[in-house]
Amino acid sequence: MAGDETPARTPAPARRTDRGTAIGDRGPSGSTAVGRTADTAGSTTEEAGITTKAATGWITRLVVVGLVLAALNLRPAITSLGAMLEEVRDGLGMSGSVAGLLTSVPPLCFAAFGVIAPRAARRWGSGTVVCAGMAAIATGLLIRPWAGGTTGFLAASALALAGIAVSNVLMPVIVKRWFPDRVGSMTGLYSMAVALGTALAAAVTVPMTEALGGSWRTGLMLWALPAVLAALPWLRLRNQREGWGDRGDRGDRGDRGGRVGLGGEQPSAARARAASASAMRREPAFNPVRSRIAWSLACFFGLQATAAYITMGWLPQIFRDAGVPASTAGVLLAVTMGLGVPLSFVLPQIAARMRHQGMIAVALGLCGLSGYAGLHLAPAAGAWAWALLLGISNCAFPLVLTLIGMRSRTGSGVVGLSAFVQSTGYLISIPGPLLVGVLYQHSGGWGLPLALMTALMVPQIVLGFLAGRNRTVEDEQAARVRA
């Protein structure tokens, strides 16, 4: 590699004539070497440039692959369980209230473990933390079905969800730092992968379980394999500190001993990245607790997460109680989640071109209200229409991820905003799925749970409109300092 070679000592540059002849640079025969020194230097520079471009391009492509594979694993732990919830309840002897608690575990873990993601990334690097997250997902999903009893099942689920939590927080951060000029398209790409993984787990878990003998334990365990695959690119990237900008003085090192920087980067480029990281560390500390933007985003995130986890955990059961077969109910959930695949790619790009994204939040919320009304009035007859409407409504998730990247201009602002919004938002979403389970058990039907879901959609629409205003946390902080 170019960075590992010691440049050969070259003679002093020769004086040139206007015609480019190197005077005094003669070969063994005493002839004049026309432009030899310049040609050699130019060739060396060109080759180094090609090596640098190829190396950094390869690393960037690997980051894209890692983002997509990681995103594919951020929801199967949840939607595979939603598709098999009745079998798991029967197998472990769970009541409706305990099942409601089980559907509340994801946001609880996301809130608890998401807080540590920025600090862990500064200490070990984002690549290492995401790699560890994928390993935690794989381990938790592998042992969850065999942990024995409800307590062991919950503990193993928490391990997998911890891995999802840290990866959730770091995805927007990685996009902002590696692709600052393509936040919309890259957010759309990994949001689409999240939706695809969500839909696949919902669609294929039941038929895959039946094909493998009908044991829900085997069906749930198999989702550990994609997580193992997703860890591989991050295992390679964990030592590539270039571009992460989150490891303090240990990241983004410049020139050492005349060698090319990390990942084949030229010393000047490495020094530029180091200067950028140093400038980011000198930025004034962002306090999200005092930010109206952060709070509007966090509450919007929390309410859309409430709707999403109620849908992922309970929608198949709503359809099954209405007389829809189990396999069809799983496919309906897959339709709901799968609709986010194309929309999650397109929506962030549309949002990134708009000055005010509030009307997108309003339109998504109205689709959710229509879907809940349909589930109450004719859950079986219009099942496909309600699944489609709720799928559109669930695209509030890629919208809020895009807003996190757009509501801050700096790397440190995105880190603080992402951690606060997701951790606080998931805390807000914890009671929702649990309340749905309690209301379902004590009322014996879905009238009260659907009324709760409808009521929560109204403030989600209002907060989404407020979060869509064209402001940044840096401007807000500067205005507060001036005041």
Side-chain angles (χ1 to χ4, degrees), residues 172 286 288 291-305 357-358 361 396-408 413-414 416-426 428-429 459-460 462-474 476:
F286 166 56
S291 169
R292 292 183 180 180
I293 296 174
W295 276 109
S296 62
L297 276 170
C299 293
F300 177 50
F301 188 99
L303 290 171
Q304 68 82 27
Q357 295 80 27
F397 176 69
L399 174 62
V400 74
L401 291 181
T402 306
L403 292 177
I404 290 172
M406 296 178 69
R407 295 290 87 94
S408 176
V414 174
L417 194 59
S418 179
F420 177 78
V421 168
Q422 295 200 48
S423 297
T424 305
Y426 283 126
I428 293 171
S429 70
Q460 177 183 324
V462 175
L463 288 163
F465 184 83
L466 295 176
R469 291 179 293 178
N470 185 26
R471 301 179 302 169
T472 66
V473 294
E474 290 81 13
E476 182 186 49

Side-chain angles (χ1 to χ4, degrees), residues 116-129 170 177 238 241 245-251:
I116 69 173
R119 182 176 298 178
R122 285 193 296 270
R123 182 179 179 90
W124 292 293
S126 299
T128 300
V129 175
L170 292 179
R177 286 181 175 163
R238 74 191 191 283
R241 293 166 293 189
D246 52 7
R247 297 193 64 178
D249 293 334
R250 289 178 295 167

Side-chain angles (χ1 to χ4, degrees), residues 351-363:
R353 296 189 181 100
M354 299 174 65
R355 289 185 58 82
H356 194 313
Q357 295 80 27
M359 292 310 299
I360 299 178
V362 173

Side-chain angles (χ1 to χ4, degrees), residues 173-174 177-178 240-246 252 265 273:
V173 177
I174 292 170
R177 286 181 175 163
W178 276 92
Q240 292 292 346
R241 293 166 293 189
E242 170 202 6
W244 299 119
D246 52 7
D252 296 328
E265 195 174 32
R273 285 190 184 274

Side-chain angles (χ1 to χ4, degrees), residues 29-306:
S29 62
S31 61
T32 301
V34 179
R36 183 179 300 161
T37 304
D39 291 343
T40 303
S43 175
T44 303
T45 303
E46 184 179 355
E47 289 173 3
I50 293 173
T51 302
T52 299
K53 194 174 296 184
T56 55
W58 177 81
I59 294 170
T60 302
R61 287 192 292 272
L62 191 59
V63 172
V64 174
V65 171
L67 276 172
V68 171
L69 290 179
L72 285 169
N73 285 275
L74 295 183
R75 294 299 179 270
I78 303 165
T79 51
S80 62
L81 177 60
M84 302 289 296
L85 185 58
E86 185 170 319
E87 288 75 12
V88 173
R89 285 177 58 189
D90 293 340
L92 298 178
M94 290 184 186
S95 65
S97 298
V98 174
L101 175 63
L102 184 61
T103 56
S104 294
V105 168
L108 175 62
C109 290
F110 293 168
F113 294 106
V115 176
I116 69 173
R119 182 176 298 178
R122 285 193 296 270
R123 182 179 179 90
W124 292 293
S126 299
T128 300
V129 175
V130 174
C131 181
M134 295 299 108
I137 295 171
T139 304
L141 294 184
L142 186 64
I143 65 176
R144 172 169 78 169
W146 317 100
T150 302
T151 302
F153 190 91
L154 288 171
S157 296
L159 175 61
L161 293 167
I164 296 173
V166 295
S167 302
N168 272 337
V169 171
L170 292 179
M171 293 290 108
V173 177
I174 292 170
V175 167
K176 183 73 171 182
R177 286 181 175 163
W178 276 92
F179 312 98
D181 57 339
R182 288 182 284 164
V183 170
S185 59
M186 292 306 300
T187 301
L189 180 64
Y190 89 77
S191 298
M192 182 178 67
V194 171
L196 180 60
T198 305
L200 281 174
V204 307
T205 297
V206 172
M208 184 172 61
T209 301
E210 293 174 350
L212 294 173
S215 171
W216 62 267
R217 301 180 191 274
T218 304
L220 294 183
M221 180 187 67
L222 287 177
W223 291 105
L225 298 178
V228 173
L229 180 64
L232 299 180
W234 296 104
L235 195 64
R236 176 65 183 86
L237 284 165
R238 74 191 191 283
N239 292 324
Q240 292 292 346
R241 293 166 293 189
E242 170 202 6
W244 299 119
D246 52 7
R247 297 193 64 178
D249 293 334
R250 289 178 295 167
D252 296 328
R253 297 283 186 188
D255 184 17
R256 277 192 178 182
R259 296 176 59 134
V260 174
L262 290 168
E265 195 174 32
Q266 294 277 10
S268 59
R271 284 194 295 269
R273 285 190 184 274
S276 174
S278 176
M280 187 186 70
R281 292 192 293 273
R282 291 194 300 269
E283 293 165 4
F286 166 56
N287 183 4
V289 177
R290 300 182 61 191
S291 169
R292 292 183 180 180
I293 296 174
W295 276 109
S296 62
L297 276 170
C299 293
F300 177 50
F301 188 99
L303 290 171
Q304 68 82 27
T306 300

Side-chain angles (χ1 to χ4, degrees), residues 2-23:
D4 294 329
E5 295 175 0
T6 303
R9 191 177 300 275
T10 58
R15 182 167 55 87
R16 296 186 176 278
T17 68
D18 292 339
R19 291 184 303 168
T21 305
I23 300 176

